[in-house]
């Protein structure tokens, strides 16, 4: 792509969250007309997700302390629409040979690119608990989507359980909106937060907001318990959730009643698309996550592929804006455009601050890997196909399937229609514990096309044929 | 069965009529199909692996737990499908075997 006139450079950006929007803005400012593809109906991504046009709640109601940032992202994007090729409601389902395969309204499009900037964001990270396959259990992020984009609560008496900043944020948003919040149960102990405080001070306003959420919950009389371990979500397979049994930090067993559970343990990156470009991944010991390898500015190990936002590293929305800019500048630089080193240096410094803050969050709200070994055998691990921890352990023991992709083939965990998004990380912990190996050796589930199930009837025959070939190959 | 979702605001919108397994459901314009159905009903479908009823999980198009079907057998991901007047939804795929759907 070096030496190409910038106005002929074909750059495709996947994702119109904070990272994708800032990447697009940076490219447009340099004279490039990028293509921006997003599965969502409106731009904004997860945190700045917009409500439907006929809703009337204010930005303050929707985004709280982040209202002006939300406005900034939305206004920037709306101002760019004439200078980019924007494909909303379009799913990228494959990337191969310098082309992006996308589908919308059952129509297939193929787009060639010189450079690709993937800003695919994150989804909730989950640890199974007995009973989490019942109706009425939702991911924490999902429970926020219900409120933010649809103005509904997931139940009348909601139990919030898991760990991470989102736990307190979403519970306090529910409280403020008038929903019933029964309790906030955090698997991380309070002392961890105290120890992580110096690192969290790299973003003092975010730290203070977090404290305010907790205080608001306590002031409203909501029990906020730390250092707990969930034992079982109770209920009935027909009518759904009725409560939760957990162990307190002091080791007592308690039961609380509720008609919904919102659960999550921070976030995991969406990396299937990066995987399809065949870039290299590395295991991060601290977070127990596999991340695509990137350099300081977001270059992946595959040429002309750049990664930004939470899909590259879970660093939060503000870092996503910075890394989106950096990735676009890296792309421009690689194309031979004049880029100021000062600008890059300043952005790298911002990133260093967000990395420190994210390290603080990770230490304050650790992934409870140790729960995996303790899950009772009858706990469903794969919600898609109701495969239990016991079945997964049996494949490991009986067949010696110690590597996640092999265990997947034997037990089908990770082969269901969420393609491992909600079971793969916990599945790897269960495999590792059963086999007595470090989780890094249990490997990772590789991304496969189509990255999400496609509509059944694709109109374009040629594309339909291509899709069925892919399905055959990936069976 | 009791509804699963409760509306907290934005209730002054235009009513949109649909049916769920033949029963009328009054939704609001701007609802996703999932919100429309779960504001009236306790679940969306039944797990084909025998572990009971399902009502979605992620609300962001990632888990695929929220599938429902039209009368013609078209599969819809209800958390990312907007409601429209006159939709007739089924909680079971009509005469489509599982292998056709995957
Ligand atoms: C459900 C949820 C709720 C969150 N809420 C908050 C919050 O309230 N406060 C907070 O500080 N942080 C929140 N976070 C974290 C926050 O979302 C991120 O830090 C931030 O949004 C990251 O920005 P991003 O641009 O990297 O990705 P995102 O904002 O996630 O944007 C990624 C975009 O990529 C699109 N995309 C992904 N894959 C494809 C594909 N294959 N084809 C087409 N499009 C695709 C998605 O539709 C999405 O719009 C939340 C995360 C989640 C998952
Ligand atoms: S609820 Fe997860 S895809 Fe719809």
């Amino acid at each position: 792509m070096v030496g190409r006139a910038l106005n002929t450079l074909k750059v495709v950006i996947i994702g119109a969250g904070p990272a994708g929007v800032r990447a697009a803005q940076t490219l447009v400012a340099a004279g490039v007309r990028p293509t921006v593809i997003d599965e969502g109906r409106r731009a904004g991504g997860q945190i700045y997700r917009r409500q439907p046009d006929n809703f009337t709640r204010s930005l303050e109601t929707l985004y709280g302390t982040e209202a002006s940032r939300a406005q900034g992202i939305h206004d920037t994007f709306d101002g760019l629409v004439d200078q980019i090729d924007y494909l909303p409601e379009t799913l990228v389902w494959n990337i191969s040979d310098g082309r992006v395969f996308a589908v919308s309204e059952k129509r297939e499009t193929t787009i060639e690119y010189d450079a690709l900037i993937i800003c695919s964001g994150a989804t909730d990270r989950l640890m199974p608990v007995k009973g989490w396959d019942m109706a009425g259990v939702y991911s924490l992020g999902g429970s926020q989507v219900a409120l933010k984009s649809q103005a509904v609560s997931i139940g009348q008496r909601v139990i919030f359980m898991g760990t991470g900043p989102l736990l307190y944020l979403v519970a306090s948003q529910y409280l403020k909106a008038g929903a019933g919040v029964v309790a906030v149960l955090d698997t991380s102990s309070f002392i961890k937060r105290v120890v992580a405080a110096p690192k969290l001070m790299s973003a003092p306003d975010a730290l203070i907001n977090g404290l305010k959420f907790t205080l608001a919950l306590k002031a409203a009389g909501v029990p906020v318990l730390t250092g707990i371990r969930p034992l079982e979500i109770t209920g009935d397979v027909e009518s759904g959730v009725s409560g939760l049994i957990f162990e307190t930090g002091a080791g007592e067993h308690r039961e609380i009643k509720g008609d919904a559970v919102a659960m999550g343990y921070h976030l995991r990156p969406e990396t299937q698309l990066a995987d399809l470009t065949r870039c290299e991944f590395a295991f991060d010991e601290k977070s127990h996550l596999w991340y695509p390898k990137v350099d300081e500015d977001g270059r992946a190990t595959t040429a002309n592929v750049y990664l930004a936002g939470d899909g590259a590293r879970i660093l939060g929305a503000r870092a996503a804006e910075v890394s989106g800019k950096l990735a676009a500048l890296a792309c421009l630089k690689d194309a031979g455009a004049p880029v100021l080193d000062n600008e890059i240096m300043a952005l790298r410094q911002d990133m260093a601050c967000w990395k420190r803050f994210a390290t603080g969050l990770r230490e304050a709200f650790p992934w409870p890997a140790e729960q995996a070994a303790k899950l009772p055998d009858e706990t469903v691990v794969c919600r898609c196909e109701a495969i239990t921890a016991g079945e997964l352990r049996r494949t490991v023991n009986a067949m010696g399937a110690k590597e996640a992709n092999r265990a997947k083939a034997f037990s089908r965990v990770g082969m269901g229609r969420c393609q491992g998004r909600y079971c793969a990380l916990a599945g790897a912990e269960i495999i590792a514990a059963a086999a007595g190996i470090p989780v890094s050796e249990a490997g990772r589930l590789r991304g496969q096309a189509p990255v999400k199930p496609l509509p059944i009837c694709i109109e374009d025959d040629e594309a339909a044929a291509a899709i069925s070939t892919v399905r055959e190959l990936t069976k | 069965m009791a509804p699963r979702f409760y509306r907290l605001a934005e209730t002054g919108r235009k009513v949109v009529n649909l049916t769920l397994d033949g029963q009328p459901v009054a939704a609001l314009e701007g609802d996703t199909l999932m919100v429309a159905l779960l504001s009236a009903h306790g679940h969306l479908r039944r797990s084909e692996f025998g572990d009971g009823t399902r009502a979605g999980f992620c609300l962001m198009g990632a888990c695929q737990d929220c599938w429902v079907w039209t009368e013609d057998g078209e599969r819809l991901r209800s958390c990312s499908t907007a409601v429209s007047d006159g939709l007739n939804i089924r909680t079971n795929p009509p005469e489509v075997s599982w292998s056709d759907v995957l």
Side-chain angles (χ1 to χ4, degrees):
Chain A
M1 85 181 157
V2 183
R4 286 279 297 274
L6 290 180
N7 59 5
T8 65
L9 196 66
K10 286 182 284 190
V11 184
V12 172
I13 300 174
I14 305 170
V21 171
R22 292 300 177 208
Q25 180 188 27
T26 309
L27 291 173
V28 166
V32 178
R33 186 181 176 91
T35 300
V36 179
I37 310 176
D38 197 298
E39 203 191 344
R41 209 174 48 79
R42 304 188 67 188
Q46 287 306 342
I47 170 166
Y48 307 129
R49 180 183 281 272
R50 299 198 220 190
Q51 59 186 359
D53 298 329
N54 60 335
F55 281 46
T56 57
R57 290 171 299 169
S58 69
L59 284 174
E60 279 68 31
T61 306
L62 287 178
Y63 308 112
T65 55
E66 306 306 299
S68 62
R69 294 200 159 262
Q71 176 114 54
I73 291 291
H74 296 162
D75 290 352
T76 302
F77 192 80
D78 295 344
L80 287 173
V81 166
D82 293 339
Q83 296 152 278
I84 62 176
D85 293 311
Y86 175 38
L87 305 177
E89 292 187 275
T90 304
L91 169 76
V92 174
W93 64 272
N94 194 13
I95 299 171
S96 166
D97 292 334
R99 286 176 303 166
V100 162
F101 296 81
V103 58
S104 68
E105 281 279 323
K106 297 172 200 159
R107 284 216 68 83
E108 162 79 6
T109 14
T110 307
I111 305 162
E112 280 184 32
Y113 61 84
D114 298 316
L116 180 64
I117 306 183
I118 304 177
C119 308
S120 47
T123 59
D124 291 275
R125 187 176 189 183
L126 268 305
M127 175 60 78
V129 53
K130 196 177 161 195
W132 76 312
D133 47 327
M134 274 186 292
V137 181
Y138 291 95
S139 77
L140 200 47
S143 65
Q144 190 192 42
V145 173
L147 178 61
K148 209 186 263 188
S149 67
Q150 291 280 293
V152 299
S153 69
I154 58 165
Q156 271 184 313
R157 290 164 297 130
V158 185
I159 301 165
F160 288 85
M161 194 272 291
T163 200
L166 217 49
L167 182 68
Y168 297 87
L169 171 66
V170 183
S172 67
Q173 287 171 332
Y174 262 61
L175 185 71
K176 210 168 166 189
V181 178
V182 179
V184 177
L185 306 176
D186 190 335
T187 54
S188 305
S189 65
F190 186 74
I191 188 72
K192 291 233 163 35
R193 241 158 286 178
V194 178
V195 174
K199 288 187 184 123
L200 295 172
M201 277 306 287
S202 359
D205 56 332
L207 175 60
I208 289 166
N209 285 337
L211 293 172
K212 279 190 191 155
F213 299 142
T214 312
L215 290 176
L217 288 159
K218 287 191 171 165
V222 176
V224 177
L225 302 180
T226 56
I228 68 107
R229 182 164 72 98
L231 297 174
E232 181 179 353
I233 296 175
T234 55
D236 177 280
V237 294
E238 282 301 307
S239 59
V241 175
S242 67
L244 176 83
I245 304 176
F246 64 99
E247 188 179 74
T248 65
E252 290 163 33
H253 286 198
R254 276 211 223 154
E255 179 167 10
I256 45 169
K257 294 285 173 195
D259 60 353
V261 175
M263 65 183 281
Y265 297 85
H266 213 37
L267 302 170
R268 58 166 277 285
E270 270 286 291
T271 55
Q272 291 86 353
L273 294 175
D275 220 347
L276 292 174
T277 72
R278 297 174 197 273
C279 71
E280 290 170 28
F281 280 66
F283 185 71
D284 177 41
E285 286 291 345
K286 301 259 167 58
S287 59
H288 281 207
L289 288 172
W290 286 90
Y291 278 123
K293 287 189 193 168
V294 282
D295 76 358
E296 246 188 315
D297 303 331
R299 289 177 188 84
T301 55
T302 304
N304 306 326
V305 175
Y306 305 82
L307 309 174
D310 276 0
R313 286 283 174 287
I314 303 292
L315 297 173
R318 290 205 235 163
E321 290 189 44
V322 182
S323 66
K325 270 186 223 169
L326 260 180
L329 290 177
C331 165
L332 288 166
K333 197 170 172 184
D334 296 347
V339 174
L340 294 177
D341 282 339
N342 286 354
E343 196 177 355
I344 294 190
M345 292 307 285
L347 293 170
R348 284 181 187 167
Q349 268 171 18
D350 281 0
M351 285 304 283
C353 167
W354 292 117
K355 281 181 187 160
R356 192 171 150 78
F357 181 67
T359 305
L361 286 180
R362 197 193 57 226
E363 289 172 3
F365 305 106
W367 160 245
E370 69 290 348
Q371 279 185 25
K374 296 183 188 156
L375 291 175
D377 272 346
E378 65 274 22
T379 312
V380 164
V381 176
C382 158
R383 294 178 84 261
C384 299
E385 301 194 353
I387 297 161
T388 63
E391 283 170 77
L392 194 52
R393 287 174 185 138
R394 273 195 294 283
T395 18
V396 176
N397 295 332
M399 310 175 97
K402 288 184 188 165
E403 198 258 339
N405 281 291
R406 290 185 64 213
K408 161 174 144 174
F410 292 135
S411 73
R412 288 192 63 83
V413 163
M415 299 246 276
R417 51 199 173 207
C418 84
Q419 305 191 355
R421 284 177 176 83
Y422 293 100
C423 61
L425 294 168
E429 301 285 358
I430 294 168
I431 292 170
I437 55 172
V439 67
S440 56
E441 279 175 37
R444 70 183 181 92
L445 287 177
R446 286 181 282 270
Q448 287 181 340
V451 299
K452 285 186 184 176
L454 297 166
I456 308 173
C457 37
I458 301 282
E459 280 164 18
D460 184 322
D461 293 343
E462 210 180 306
I467 290 165
S468 56
T469 313
V470 170
R471 280 188 179 153
E472 282 305 316
L473 291 173
T474 53
K475 253 182 196 159
Chain B
M1 201 196 285
R4 190 154 295 287
F5 286 177
Y6 292 87
R7 297 188 187 276
L8 298 169
E10 307 282 359
T11 48
R13 287 171 282 144
K14 208 176 122 215
V15 173
V16 174
N17 292 302
L18 32 145
T19 67
L20 179 63
D21 294 332
Q23 299 298 312
V25 171
L28 299 177
E29 202 174 60
D31 278 355
T32 61
L33 192 50
M34 179 180 190
V35 163
L37 300 176
L38 293 179
S39 298
H41 194 68
H43 65 262
L44 294 171
R45 64 180 186 98
R46 207 161 273 284
S47 161
E48 60 282 26
F49 297 91
D51 57 331
T53 57
R54 291 297 180 89
F57 185 70
C58 74
L59 281 86
M60 48 182 283
C63 75
Q64 321 298 331
D65 192 44
C66 64
W67 290 358
V68 293
W69 290 264
T70 64
E71 300 227 297
D72 318 328
E74 191 191 351
R75 185 186 79 213
L76 300 174
R77 194 172 69 192
S78 67
C79 72
S80 48
T81 306
V83 288
S84 49
D85 238 330
L87 262 181
N88 298 315
I89 297 297
R90 306 175 53 138
T91 54
N92 281 306
E95 339 248 312
V96 179
S97 83
W98 189 238
S99 56
D100 296 338
V101 179
L102 272 185

